[in-house]
Amino acid sequence: MLDTVLFYSFAVLVLGGGILTITRRNAVHSAISLIVSLLGVAGLYLLQAAEFLFAVQIVLYVGGIMVLFLFVIMLVNLDDAAKVREYNRQWIVALVAVAAVGAELGYFFHRGAASFHIAETAAAVPVAVGNTEALADSLFSEYLLPFEIASLVLLVAVVGSVIMAKKRI
Amino acid sequence: MHPVTTVHYLALSAALLLIGTVGVLTRRNIVVILMSIELILNAVNINLIAFSHAWHNVGGQVFAIFVITDAVAEAAVGLGILIALFRNKETVQADEIDLLKW
Amino acid sequence: MNPFSQFFTSTDYLTIIPAVQLALFGCAILLFDAFEDFLFGGPQHRKRLVFGVLAAEVFAGMGLVKQQMHLGPDGLISGFGGSVTVDGFGIFFNWIFIVAAVIVAVVSYKYLEIAGEHHGEYYSLVLFAQSGMYFLATGTDLVTLFIGLELMALCFYVMVGFLRTDKRSNEAAMKYLLLGAFSTGLLVYGFSVMYGLAGSTKLAIIANRLAALPAWDPIVFLAMATTAAGLLFKISAAPFHMWAPDAYEGAPTSVTAYLSVASKAASIAFLVRIFMGPLAASRAAWEPVLAVVAVATLTIGNLAAINQTNIKRLLAYSSISHAGYMLLGLVAGNETGITGIAVYVMVYTFMNLGAFLVLISLRRKNIIGEDLDDIAGLMHKSPGHAVLMLIFLLSLAGIPPTAGFLGKYYIFLALIQTGHYALAVIATLYVAVAIYYYFKIVRSMFAGEETEKAPLATSLGLRLALGATGFFTLAIGIYPEPFLRLAQTSLLR
Amino acid sequence: MNFLDLIWLIPLFPLAGAVLMLLVGKLLDPQPPSDVAVAPGVGQSGACAPHANHAHHHPGPLQNLIRLICPGMVLVSFIFSAGAVWQLAHLPNRLHQVIQFTWIAAMPFHMANGHIATFQVDWGFLLDPLSSVMILVVTGVGFLIHVYATGYMAHDNGFYRFFGYFNLFIFFMLMLVLANNYTLLFVGWEGVGLCSYLLIGFYFHKKSAADAGKKAFIVNRVGDAGFVLGMLLMLSVLGTVRFTDVNAALRSGQFPVEAGYGVLTAMALLMFFGATGKSAQVPLYVWLPDAMEGPTPVSALIHAATMVTAGVYMVARSSALFELTPVAGMWVAGIGAFTAIFAATIALVQNDIKRVLAYSTVSQLGYMFLALGVGAYWVAIFHLFTHAFFKALLFLGSGSVIHAMSGEQDMRYMGALKKKIPVTHWTMWVGSVAIAGIPGLAGFFSKDEILWQAFSSPKGSTVLWLVGIVTAAMTAFYMWRLMNMTFYGQSRVKPEVAAHVHESPAVMTWPLIALAAGSVLGGWLGVPKLWTIFGGAFRLFPRWLAPMFALAGSETEHPASTEWSLMILSVAVAAGGISLAYYLYSKRADIPDRILARFRPLHTVLYNKWYVDEIYDFLFVNGLGKGGGSAMAEFDRTIVDGGVNGAGWLTRTSATLSMWWDTWIVDGAVRFTSFSVKLLSYPACLLESGRVQTYALFMLVGLLAFLGYYVAR
Amino acid sequence: MDQHILSIVLLTPLAGLAVLLFLPASNRGLIRIWANLTSLAGFLISLPLVFRFDKNLAGFQFEEHFDWIPSLGVHYHLGMDGISLLLVMLTTLMGFIATLCSWSAVEDRVKGYYAMFMLLQTGMIGVFISLDFFLFYVFWELVLVPMYFIIGIWGGPRKLYAAIKFFLYTLAGSVLMLLGILTLYFQHYAQFGFYTFEISELMKLNLPLHMQQWVFWAFFLGFAIKVPMFPFHTWLPDAHVEAPTAGSVILAAVLLKMGTYGFLRFSLPLLPGASIDQTIVQILAVLSIIGIVYGALVSLMQQDWKKLVAYSSVSHLGFCTLGIFSLNPNGIAGSVLQQINHGISTGMLFLVIGVIYERRHTREIKEYGGLAHVMPRFATIFAIAMFSSAGLPLLNGFVGEFTILQGAFEANRIWAAFAVTGVIFGAAYLLWLYQRTMLGQITNAKNLGLRDLNLREVALFLPLIAWAIWIGVYPKPYFDVLRQPVTQIVERVRPGYFDAPQQAGWQAKSASDPKTGAPAPLARKVGQSLSPVSPPAAPPAILARNGGVR
């Protein structure tokens, strides 16, 4: 029951934050709303027994968003941003299309809920170790390779953003 | 009240996905578009975590970590490019960058 | 005994040798670049870094050879608990990447020097992107594939925007990144659903699980549709193609070449892995979807190319249409079709690279050299280039005895074999449309009058690369047997 | 010397002459440098005189070589022919065939009855009584006309060219008559058409001449199409085109007349259609009068004596076929009779001396077909034979007149020439008497025989006879109108011409004399059966041809008195015509004008040749609204402006339509396709708006469509 | 030598091309001489084919067979039968003449021009001697490119439009044809278990009728566009008008024959069921007849000299296709012969146009008139070309047309009746053209100073005229050469065609065994009651000098 209440609360946080993110005229407000939304997601992680990710989400991700936020401040003249049009010309079409996709997704989940029943009833493997430990186990054995690649990804991200952002290299 | 099932999480994630999509499609400010993309990736993460929970394996969580990594990397590079763009064009409005067309 | 031995055996290592080589050399180049003054006396000698790339490719190639020699009895080596599987398919595609990377590397320095953006990071990005591709071609785990894709994509975002002072380059990179990220979102959403259905990220397990579900299961379809949206974006299939012309046009031409060839090849490999792997069981559901996409891609690519006056953009549209042909191979989906894709990718590599190389030669100081007018009268100015370009264009159009014919031929073959007659007819008719715009270039080259007299840019690397692409474009067409055998090794087991 | 086995050489002599002339003739007969015809108003200076087309130049000494070679070749042919015919007479079956090689050696085919036969055509020659008559006529008369032409053409440019064509014509004509099968006959058939084209258009700087040549060729082609189809039908039914085989098949009794084989009738009519083209019968006669644009020797040789009779020869050659198809025979007779009287009416009022003769020729050819139609094949050939003499004579005579008159052809500007050109006069007098049908001269014998056969043959009828006799009267009248207007009465010669009137040189008059002799004597080879006193020798002609026409001569029995009276009637009619002409044109020259005034509409119609050319123009040539003119000049203009002369108004309209169709519909469809592809390429481009979010929207729409596909499935 | 003679013939132009590439582009004289030498060598080298060809052998001769792409079942398989022989000889001769006629016509980019011709030559020869469908297709497409350039670079004012139209049109057809080829390929695999493009192998297929029909239409598109048959002909006038003279000559003389050759070599033998299908035959015959009449009618209306001749090609090729789809020996043999004839006569007509174009640079008919006065030699040669084209007996056109008409008549009398009108129109438009340009008075001062043909130009025509007369007077060798292949095709399409009872009687003396061409025993089946014609009681004595026909 508590789960349910918490789920819905977080859901409101997530969706509300999301909606605010995309509707706030001021980009800084958007960023703050995004943080709210991300926090909601973090809450959901907690609900789903993904404690490590919860931590990662808050520490890393939200921190990362702060970076974004700073960039925004660095880049955009807020006064100017407040004056220009917020949405582009195609927003109605876009909304209709998104609504249609939403309806279709609803249809799919409605029709296909059964496909997940197997997942629901999967034999519960007792969690012998803590979440973080299990994650680490998995990450460094089964997912060792992606982990290594991820390091390259981050390297490229660093190099790339430096190349792009620096005036002279 | 129904118990919260995986499908609930899916619905939530789908809703977030759509919100992010709306953001990508309608907002003019590229920074906000990047934020919307973060929303989309978070929707994916909700999915992954929910499935991970349902399947009682951590594969989904690990996947989510990589998605987060990717989100960060993309954001970094995206902002880098944005800076380069801003330096040349003095704008961050998505529909004002249309030098290349047709 | 090494404590890591259970996670990182020599077999595991064997499966990733080339990627490791590439990544290490990439890092090394970064370092060398950082100390260039100290190491080789200044930025003017930066082009020596090309040798770093070449060395990396040599090692990567040796790695591939080693892998080839150690293929198991079932024709594959699996490593990292099934995260990566080296098989003929992967090796074949990696050779393509090597070819593309070598050619791009040796022709880039001149171009970048002229453009004033010759930096060492470029070469490491080429290598990092290639190691991403490596995992696209060999990955058998959703996570590996995903992260490999991102590695490649990120490198390309940066490379597309490499001309940082050029508005068009900025814009191209920005667009590519925004759309790329969006498509990644869709793709990974599909992956998450797939994971949800199977409870695992290993393709083999997913395949087993999905095979148990009905072909028309809605959630499978959902997973397929979102995954497809992401993947089709990468190969620039309609209606996910729209980034391509802009990105191709804005990017440095050498990057465009790399992007249009290697990135597309890697993505198509990825696509084949997913659709012929986990999604194979629901072929009935996706075949018509992909068929429509393929036709739409052909249509958009060919039609839009007709009006172009910018050769680069024209070639961009043409490469969209080529994606359509490759997709048709997947639609046919039998052995011939897969071989056809492999053959197509192979010939496409040479001919498309070749065409872009000619464009690179046209880029001179103060001359962008991308417009139809810029190539006008090329026959007078440089008959060699003109004839080579003609060969590439003929090949792109699929006129025998050039390589391109063989690629198209295989696709038609597969379509006919699987009874897709209507698709075959459509595909063939678009050959005629394609001729029309390719010959706009030919016409300009041979019948037009020169607009300027400046000699073409040239360098040793460019000459060698042009020669090699020209040679292979003709050789595959005239004596295709060894190349076909090579492509046939790529059959998925 | 075995001439019989050398008959294949007969055509080759003139061919050799032709080849020689056309290849090296120019060396023998150098052309004057200013031999360029330039339209008025064009040209750089006075250096090119506008009257260059009439420039007389004085021949070089080598020209005499041509005079020797070309007629000489024909003479050699004549000698070989005569030798061969002489030897043929000694063969029991009077048939000799030389097959040199297989010409068209094509493949087997299925005949109409499902049997397999091989389509092959010999390069072979057949000498039998029929072809022997023809080769003698062709080489004999041809030689005389050659000789005449050496004089007549002496001052023309392109002397060598003329003789080259002339010899070539003889070659083809000999091929035509010597061929042993229809297809080889067709070679000659087309070949003479070609030479006719070349020779009519000899003065090719004259547009009217070039037009006439083209008209002749194309009208002939129309007939040829029928001939070709007839041949194909023959192959299909009989499996062969070789005369001997065809005749043997047809006479084998497999196709009894009673059974009424429609296919044979079709075959015969198709052949006959071909003949109407070549032999200038209704409806395809229109080219012949125009063909008079050619030099006069050409008119004499080709358009009177030989080529135009090819149709007669061909039908006679196919007698076995026509025997089996009474319906076809009826058509032949009917068309022949109609043509005879029709052309005669036109000839009554023409003023151009050559045109009178041209219509006369058409009329006489009508007689021949009349004879063929009623089954009197030998008579047709007989008339062909006699006609060759007197009509060639008349043409050459008229040529001599024209020569004397410095090119004047209009009889209204002649008169009283008898004294000035006596030889011409006397020879033409003989010819005119002969054609009029006065006993003792050639024309009488053949024409009277035709009339008699038309009356008495089982296929004949009183109507046909009546038409024939009326035509005979007209013939006598218009010929003597010609004689009177030309040689007698008051001189109307223009003064500037009158000074130069002179008799032609001997080289021209001697052939006239020779032909006149032929016109007198030729008829005596076939005197009427009634004239028993002359005995068999004087019926050599029917006897000679008898083996050819198995059923010929089987006329129904009539009392001799009937025949005598008819004969006397025809002579009377002829005499009447001559007298009337004398009275009207020599004695009371004012009457014709009054008659003309009285019957102006009729005269106009006749003068304008029943407006057939105009009707054809109206129908086939786009002379719409221009054809009504009454003056010759206007008529010419009609043709000139007609453009597709002889090809036709319908043709032209349909060609225009086709062209329109091709441009706008067929090619239009192509261009529309490419246009629409190009058009469609704009939306494809415009999708690329450059706005990144539009791109994203399209991606979403793509996804939407994917999912929608599942939903809507 | 004999084993590789076809390869040698095929590769001679390529060898010439290889050398040409190393000649300096500035030295035009050298390039011209070399190009002419090469094309002459190409012709001379092909001559032994004629002498070594054994007309009595069934099947293919001079065969060469190597694996080319074993994994696809593609072979380098060359071979020649009578049809190929004639067309190859036409190609090599016309190639030489076309090269020679460009001597002074082309001043611009001479090297490229000749290079294109050599490439074209190889492609065309290859088409006619390939016995592997894949190889055939490669050559088929190879031809397009040089032709595109010849039209597109050295052509007239609208050359680019014409060139791309030519290319697109023929390419569209041929790629569809490729689909047909692939269908056969897979059907063969399905039936025999291995992949091959060998024609001889594909002939063993046993296809259901509906599939044959589909494949037939696919082939049809490829071939009909090339021929071109109505309504696919519109590329032809444009291409001809814009092409340089030599291009027109080759295009008309050889390239179009690739289409008819395709019908003969592939459509009929590979798809006998569809080829005999009444609907298909009717459609094709009607299209052919429309082509004959329509092409002639449109010719009548042309104001452009070259366009007129181009449309006349549509008409003539209509005869060729009509002959083919008469589906009997005479139709087919006549068709092949007519293809050669058309090559000769239309080639000459285009050369004629080229000569005058070189002097006056216009092809408007009304610019001319009375040329015979200033150019008598030219006028003579034009006349011969014209009459050859109009089908005058003793020139080549007649034999072909007549044989075709015979075949058509056998198939359907109505066809022949319509087709024969083409003969009339043929004379009409050609004579009219001749009259408007050659005869009459000179109406344009510019024409006064035209010079007559020089020796080189006369030399262009002489071999063609000689050939025209040869075929016109003694076509037997051609029919002899064609007998075997045509018999095979007919046997294939209409099995038992030759088993019909032999017509007895009149022809007995000259009848020969249809299959072997050898004299048959005097098969006199006396008393066949079914036959309306029975042997004569006593055939007329024939004193044939040579004792009948061998």
mmCIF file of all heavy atoms in Angstrom, chain C residues 400 409 413 417 432 435 439 446 478 480-481, chain E residues 68-71 109 141 148 168 171 186 195 197:
data_model
loop_
_atom_site.group_PDB
_atom_site.id
_atom_site.type_symbol
_atom_site.label_atom_id
_atom_site.label_comp_id
_atom_site.label_asym_id
_atom_site.label_seq_id
_atom_site.Cartn_x
_atom_site.Cartn_y
_atom_site.Cartn_z
ATOM 1 N N PRO C 400 26.935 -2.362 -65.007
ATOM 2 C CA PRO C 400 28.067 -3.257 -65.173
ATOM 3 C C PRO C 400 29.047 -2.661 -66.170
ATOM 4 O O PRO C 400 28.642 -1.859 -66.999
ATOM 5 C CB PRO C 400 27.432 -4.526 -65.739
ATOM 6 C CG PRO C 400 26.140 -4.095 -66.320
ATOM 7 C CD PRO C 400 25.702 -2.874 -65.570
ATOM 8 N N TYR C 409 22.806 -6.244 -58.037
ATOM 9 C CA TYR C 409 22.456 -7.536 -58.589
ATOM 10 C C TYR C 409 22.095 -8.524 -57.481
ATOM 11 O O TYR C 409 21.095 -9.233 -57.540
ATOM 12 C CB TYR C 409 23.638 -8.054 -59.400
ATOM 13 C CG TYR C 409 23.557 -9.499 -59.734
ATOM 14 C CD1 TYR C 409 22.790 -9.918 -60.800
ATOM 15 C CD2 TYR C 409 24.226 -10.445 -58.964
ATOM 16 C CE1 TYR C 409 22.686 -11.247 -61.090
ATOM 17 C CE2 TYR C 409 24.129 -11.768 -59.255
ATOM 18 C CZ TYR C 409 23.360 -12.170 -60.321
ATOM 19 O OH TYR C 409 23.254 -13.498 -60.602
ATOM 20 N N LEU C 413 18.647 -10.297 -56.811
ATOM 21 C CA LEU C 413 18.687 -11.759 -56.739
ATOM 22 C C LEU C 413 17.901 -12.232 -55.526
ATOM 23 O O LEU C 413 17.025 -13.107 -55.619
ATOM 24 C CB LEU C 413 20.154 -12.165 -56.604
ATOM 25 C CG LEU C 413 20.586 -13.547 -56.980
ATOM 26 C CD1 LEU C 413 20.288 -13.765 -58.434
ATOM 27 C CD2 LEU C 413 22.087 -13.686 -56.760
ATOM 28 N N GLN C 417 14.463 -14.262 -55.487
ATOM 29 C CA GLN C 417 14.503 -15.589 -54.895
ATOM 30 C C GLN C 417 13.410 -15.753 -53.855
ATOM 31 O O GLN C 417 12.815 -16.812 -53.728
ATOM 32 C CB GLN C 417 15.876 -15.803 -54.246
ATOM 33 C CG GLN C 417 16.171 -17.241 -53.937
ATOM 34 C CD GLN C 417 17.593 -17.398 -53.445
ATOM 35 O OE1 GLN C 417 18.234 -16.424 -53.067
ATOM 36 N NE2 GLN C 417 18.069 -18.616 -53.461
ATOM 37 N N ALA C 432 16.984 3.625 -62.750
ATOM 38 C CA ALA C 432 16.901 4.595 -63.842
ATOM 39 C C ALA C 432 16.866 6.018 -63.308
ATOM 40 O O ALA C 432 17.504 6.917 -63.854
ATOM 41 C CB ALA C 432 15.667 4.310 -64.690
ATOM 42 N N ILE C 435 20.312 7.013 -62.230
ATOM 43 C CA ILE C 435 21.157 7.371 -63.355
ATOM 44 C C ILE C 435 21.016 8.845 -63.680
ATOM 45 O O ILE C 435 21.975 9.544 -63.985
ATOM 46 C CB ILE C 435 20.754 6.532 -64.582
ATOM 47 C CG1 ILE C 435 21.414 5.193 -64.525
ATOM 48 C CG2 ILE C 435 21.133 7.215 -65.863
ATOM 49 C CD1 ILE C 435 22.869 5.262 -64.782
ATOM 50 N N PHE C 439 24.176 11.205 -63.538
ATOM 51 C CA PHE C 439 24.680 11.713 -64.801
ATOM 52 C C PHE C 439 24.618 13.228 -64.886
ATOM 53 O O PHE C 439 25.182 13.815 -65.808
ATOM 54 C CB PHE C 439 23.974 11.026 -65.972
ATOM 55 C CG PHE C 439 24.698 9.782 -66.376
ATOM 56 C CD1 PHE C 439 24.829 8.741 -65.489
ATOM 57 C CD2 PHE C 439 25.283 9.670 -67.621
ATOM 58 C CE1 PHE C 439 25.527 7.606 -65.836
ATOM 59 C CE2 PHE C 439 25.984 8.541 -67.975
ATOM 60 C CZ PHE C 439 26.102 7.507 -67.076
ATOM 61 N N PHE C 446 31.953 16.314 -67.940
ATOM 62 C CA PHE C 446 32.439 16.057 -69.281
ATOM 63 C C PHE C 446 31.993 17.094 -70.285
ATOM 64 O O PHE C 446 32.695 17.374 -71.241
ATOM 65 C CB PHE C 446 32.003 14.667 -69.747
ATOM 66 C CG PHE C 446 32.772 13.572 -69.079
ATOM 67 C CD1 PHE C 446 32.388 13.082 -67.856
ATOM 68 C CD2 PHE C 446 33.902 13.053 -69.675
ATOM 69 C CE1 PHE C 446 33.100 12.084 -67.239
ATOM 70 C CE2 PHE C 446 34.623 12.050 -69.065
ATOM 71 C CZ PHE C 446 34.227 11.566 -67.837
ATOM 72 N N ILE C 478 34.733 -6.623 -62.387
ATOM 73 C CA ILE C 478 35.200 -7.434 -63.509
ATOM 74 C C ILE C 478 35.525 -8.855 -63.080
ATOM 75 O O ILE C 478 35.194 -9.809 -63.768
ATOM 76 C CB ILE C 478 36.413 -6.757 -64.172
ATOM 77 C CG1 ILE C 478 35.940 -5.502 -64.885
ATOM 78 C CG2 ILE C 478 37.071 -7.681 -65.168
ATOM 79 C CD1 ILE C 478 37.044 -4.636 -65.392
ATOM 80 N N PRO C 480 34.700 -10.638 -59.813
ATOM 81 C CA PRO C 480 34.158 -10.544 -58.456
ATOM 82 C C PRO C 480 34.366 -11.796 -57.607
ATOM 83 O O PRO C 480 34.097 -11.748 -56.399
ATOM 84 C CB PRO C 480 32.670 -10.305 -58.695
ATOM 85 C CG PRO C 480 32.408 -10.812 -60.049
ATOM 86 C CD PRO C 480 33.679 -10.834 -60.817
ATOM 87 N N GLU C 481 34.814 -12.847 -58.232
ATOM 88 C CA GLU C 481 34.795 -14.129 -57.517
ATOM 89 C C GLU C 481 35.422 -14.075 -56.117
ATOM 90 O O GLU C 481 34.783 -14.419 -55.137
ATOM 91 C CB GLU C 481 35.448 -15.199 -58.384
ATOM 92 C CG GLU C 481 35.401 -16.597 -57.786
ATOM 93 C CD GLU C 481 33.989 -17.093 -57.564
ATOM 94 O OE1 GLU C 481 33.062 -16.568 -58.196
ATOM 95 O OE2 GLU C 481 33.802 -17.995 -56.735
ATOM 96 N N TRP E 68 33.788 -17.753 -64.629
ATOM 97 C CA TRP E 68 34.085 -16.346 -64.358
ATOM 98 C C TRP E 68 33.751 -16.053 -62.906
ATOM 99 O O TRP E 68 34.619 -15.690 -62.117
ATOM 100 C CB TRP E 68 33.296 -15.460 -65.324
ATOM 101 C CG TRP E 68 33.471 -13.997 -65.094
ATOM 102 C CD1 TRP E 68 34.531 -13.400 -64.496
ATOM 103 C CD2 TRP E 68 32.567 -12.960 -65.436
ATOM 104 N NE1 TRP E 68 34.346 -12.032 -64.469
ATOM 105 C CE2 TRP E 68 33.152 -11.742 -65.033
ATOM 106 C CE3 TRP E 68 31.312 -12.923 -66.070
ATOM 107 C CZ2 TRP E 68 32.526 -10.520 -65.232
ATOM 108 C CZ3 TRP E 68 30.700 -11.711 -66.268
ATOM 109 C CH2 TRP E 68 31.311 -10.512 -65.851
ATOM 110 N N ILE E 69 32.519 -16.220 -62.553
ATOM 111 C CA ILE E 69 32.142 -16.060 -61.149
ATOM 112 C C ILE E 69 31.480 -17.367 -60.723
ATOM 113 O O ILE E 69 30.260 -17.489 -60.741
ATOM 114 C CB ILE E 69 31.156 -14.898 -60.958
ATOM 115 C CG1 ILE E 69 31.590 -13.681 -61.777
ATOM 116 C CG2 ILE E 69 31.063 -14.522 -59.489
ATOM 117 C CD1 ILE E 69 30.627 -12.537 -61.708
ATOM 118 N N PRO E 70 32.269 -18.332 -60.367
ATOM 119 C CA PRO E 70 31.683 -19.642 -60.076
ATOM 120 C C PRO E 70 30.621 -19.577 -58.983
ATOM 121 O O PRO E 70 29.640 -20.313 -59.035
ATOM 122 C CB PRO E 70 32.883 -20.466 -59.600
ATOM 123 C CG PRO E 70 34.068 -19.711 -60.020
ATOM 124 C CD PRO E 70 33.696 -18.296 -60.185
ATOM 125 N N SER E 71 30.809 -18.685 -58.018
ATOM 126 C CA SER E 71 29.846 -18.708 -56.924
ATOM 127 C C SER E 71 28.469 -18.238 -57.377
ATOM 128 O O SER E 71 27.493 -18.465 -56.686
ATOM 129 C CB SER E 71 30.350 -17.865 -55.755
ATOM 130 O OG SER E 71 30.825 -16.632 -56.218
ATOM 131 N N ARG E 109 38.081 16.903 -78.510
ATOM 132 C CA ARG E 109 38.316 15.761 -77.614
ATOM 133 C C ARG E 109 38.397 14.448 -78.405
ATOM 134 O O ARG E 109 37.678 13.494 -78.159
ATOM 135 C CB ARG E 109 37.195 15.642 -76.585
ATOM 136 C CG ARG E 109 36.929 16.964 -75.906
ATOM 137 C CD ARG E 109 35.904 16.798 -74.832
ATOM 138 N NE ARG E 109 35.265 18.078 -74.603
ATOM 139 C CZ ARG E 109 34.439 18.350 -73.624
ATOM 140 N NH1 ARG E 109 34.140 17.410 -72.769
ATOM 141 N NH2 ARG E 109 33.916 19.507 -73.476
ATOM 142 N N GLU E 141 24.774 -3.671 -70.916
ATOM 143 C CA GLU E 141 24.792 -2.405 -70.205
ATOM 144 C C GLU E 141 26.060 -1.611 -70.542
ATOM 145 O O GLU E 141 26.033 -0.386 -70.551
ATOM 146 C CB GLU E 141 24.758 -2.652 -68.700
ATOM 147 C CG GLU E 141 23.525 -3.354 -68.237
ATOM 148 C CD GLU E 141 22.428 -2.380 -67.875
ATOM 149 O OE1 GLU E 141 22.586 -1.673 -66.887
ATOM 150 O OE2 GLU E 141 21.426 -2.331 -68.591
ATOM 151 N N TYR E 148 26.245 6.965 -74.427
ATOM 152 C CA TYR E 148 25.819 8.186 -73.735
ATOM 153 C C TYR E 148 26.808 9.311 -74.013
ATOM 154 O O TYR E 148 26.427 10.435 -74.321
ATOM 155 C CB TYR E 148 25.726 7.930 -72.238
ATOM 156 C CG TYR E 148 25.536 9.203 -71.427
ATOM 157 C CD1 TYR E 148 24.278 9.721 -71.217
ATOM 158 C CD2 TYR E 148 26.629 9.889 -70.911
ATOM 159 C CE1 TYR E 148 24.101 10.887 -70.507
ATOM 160 C CE2 TYR E 148 26.468 11.063 -70.204
ATOM 161 C CZ TYR E 148 25.209 11.560 -69.994
ATOM 162 O OH TYR E 148 25.043 12.709 -69.302
ATOM 163 N N LEU E 168 18.437 6.513 -69.923
ATOM 164 C CA LEU E 168 17.419 6.138 -68.947
ATOM 165 C C LEU E 168 16.441 5.133 -69.529
ATOM 166 O O LEU E 168 16.088 4.137 -68.900
ATOM 167 C CB LEU E 168 16.648 7.386 -68.508
ATOM 168 C CG LEU E 168 17.390 8.292 -67.575
ATOM 169 C CD1 LEU E 168 16.493 9.413 -67.103
ATOM 170 C CD2 LEU E 168 17.864 7.498 -66.371
ATOM 171 N N LEU E 171 18.072 1.833 -70.023
ATOM 172 C CA LEU E 171 18.451 1.244 -68.738
ATOM 173 C C LEU E 171 17.215 0.729 -68.008
ATOM 174 O O LEU E 171 17.212 -0.377 -67.469
ATOM 175 C CB LEU E 171 19.173 2.276 -67.874
ATOM 176 C CG LEU E 171 19.642 1.678 -66.574
ATOM 177 C CD1 LEU E 171 20.927 0.928 -66.798
ATOM 178 C CD2 LEU E 171 19.833 2.714 -65.516
ATOM 179 N N PHE E 186 16.640 -18.567 -60.826
ATOM 180 C CA PHE E 186 16.156 -19.280 -59.639
ATOM 181 C C PHE E 186 15.293 -20.465 -59.992
ATOM 182 O O PHE E 186 15.331 -21.487 -59.318
ATOM 183 C CB PHE E 186 15.394 -18.332 -58.721
ATOM 184 C CG PHE E 186 16.321 -17.481 -57.954
ATOM 185 C CD1 PHE E 186 16.384 -16.131 -58.169
ATOM 186 C CD2 PHE E 186 17.191 -18.064 -57.060
ATOM 187 C CE1 PHE E 186 17.283 -15.363 -57.486
ATOM 188 C CE2 PHE E 186 18.091 -17.295 -56.372
ATOM 189 C CZ PHE E 186 18.136 -15.941 -56.582
ATOM 190 N N TYR E 195 23.085 -23.247 -59.556
ATOM 191 C CA TYR E 195 22.884 -21.933 -60.164
ATOM 192 C C TYR E 195 23.699 -21.807 -61.428
ATOM 193 O O TYR E 195 24.876 -22.157 -61.449
ATOM 194 C CB TYR E 195 23.347 -20.842 -59.189
ATOM 195 C CG TYR E 195 22.438 -20.671 -58.014
ATOM 196 C CD1 TYR E 195 22.879 -20.948 -56.724
ATOM 197 C CD2 TYR E 195 21.135 -20.224 -58.187
ATOM 198 C CE1 TYR E 195 22.053 -20.779 -55.636
ATOM 199 C CE2 TYR E 195 20.303 -20.057 -57.109
ATOM 200 C CZ TYR E 195 20.753 -20.330 -55.834
ATOM 201 O OH TYR E 195 19.916 -20.154 -54.773
ATOM 202 N N PHE E 197 23.939 -19.320 -65.290
ATOM 203 C CA PHE E 197 23.381 -18.383 -66.253
ATOM 204 C C PHE E 197 23.576 -18.882 -67.666
ATOM 205 O O PHE E 197 23.288 -18.177 -68.621
ATOM 206 C CB PHE E 197 24.055 -17.017 -66.107
ATOM 207 C CG PHE E 197 23.543 -16.211 -64.961
ATOM 208 C CD1 PHE E 197 24.244 -16.152 -63.782
ATOM 209 C CD2 PHE E 197 22.354 -15.527 -65.066
ATOM 210 C CE1 PHE E 197 23.765 -15.409 -62.727
ATOM 211 C CE2 PHE E 197 21.872 -14.786 -64.017
ATOM 212 C CZ PHE E 197 22.580 -14.725 -62.841
#
